Amino acid sequence: VAGKRKGISICGQPKKNGLPCRRSPGWGTDHEGTGACKFHGGQTPNGAVVAAQEEAGAMSRPLEVTPTQAVTGVLHLAAGQLAYVTYKVGELDEADYFEGEEGNRWVRLQGRLMDRLATFAKTAADMGIQERQVKLAEAQTMMIGKLISNVIGRLDLTPEQRKAVGPAIREEMAVIAGKATEVE
Ligand SMILES: [Zn+2]
């Protein structure tokens, strides 16, 4: 894959004789400097995307986001795009809807963005549920901890028994955790 050749200044795609192509990346295409040359798929739609991916990989720095932030970000981006595309569709005359073989490009793009937005929205919703479950589990753990310490406080334990409480809790927790893992 062209995207894996970061830092190598050749097209690098295998030629008919099996050797890597020595032309410069993106030679003869509109994305010179990245991706495959024009003779090795560089000018195909997919080749152009691979070149863009290669440039993004080389030019970008890692950005720390939580999964929720990432999904929310793409969700907002898709929603903004859909709003714009919907505006463009609104400007069309009805006769324009059916132009070309597959219909107007804005109408088609609108359908695609709607699907994409629905997918992102579902993912975001599923993640929200997970987050709530984690919070609930944390709250329950806190409650159990408080319960145990309150019960111990009420019992008139000897110092020796008190010492045994901590290890006993850890042992029992490990047993429960082991069972929880088995269920998964
Ligand atoms: Zn080439």
Side-chain angles (χ1 to χ4, degrees):
V1 177
K4 295 225 167 123
R5 297 174 300 101
K6 198 167 157 184
I8 299 171
S9 58
I10 56 168
C11 158
Q13 291 298 303
K15 295 191 290 184
K16 283 193 180 116
N17 64 10
L19 293 171
C21 168
R22 309 287 304 176
R23 283 189 195 85
S24 59
W27 182 90
T29 70
D30 61 0
H31 49 78
E32 288 203 18
T34 53
C37 81
K38 138 180 173 183
F39 295 116
H40 293 108
Q43 65 179 2
T44 63
N46 187 49
V49 173
V50 169
Q53 200 180 330
E54 199 177 298
E55 182 177 328
M59 301 304 289
S60 62
R61 293 287 168 270
L63 194 58
E64 272 186 39
V65 289
T66 66
T68 306
Q69 285 171 333
V71 172
T72 309
V74 286
L75 183 69
H76 291 174
L77 196 60
Q81 287 177 4
L82 180 60
Y84 179 75
V85 170
T86 301
Y87 158 76
K88 294 295 282 185
V89 169
E91 280 194 322
L92 297 173
D93 290 324
E94 238 174 278
D96 297 336
Y97 280 36
F98 307 104
E99 71 180 21
E101 273 180 33
E102 294 168 55
N104 181 274
R105 63 199 171 110
W106 292 109
V107 176
R108 273 185 289 150
L109 183 56
Q110 189 185 37
R112 214 179 294 173
L113 284 173
M114 280 175 176
D115 289 346
R116 204 174 293 173
L117 196 58
T119 306
F120 291 148
K122 191 189 177 308
T123 307
D126 289 349
M127 287 170 73
I129 289 164
Q130 275 180 13
E131 257 173 44
R132 278 196 295 279
Q133 281 171 340
V134 169
K135 280 198 186 124
L136 190 65
E138 280 170 0
Q140 282 171 340
T141 306
M142 297 263 294
M143 257 177 57
I144 291 168
K146 191 141 178 48
L147 178 74
I148 291 172
S149 74
N150 286 356
V151 169
I152 291 168
R154 285 176 65 158
L155 298 173
D156 206 10
L157 298 181
T158 65
E160 202 176 304
Q161 284 171 323
R162 254 175 209 286
K163 254 190 234 166
V165 169
I169 292 174
R170 275 195 293 279
E171 263 183 52
E172 291 301 324
M173 293 284 276
V175 171
I176 291 169
K179 276 181 185 152
T181 319
E182 275 170 27
V183 173
E184 281 170 20

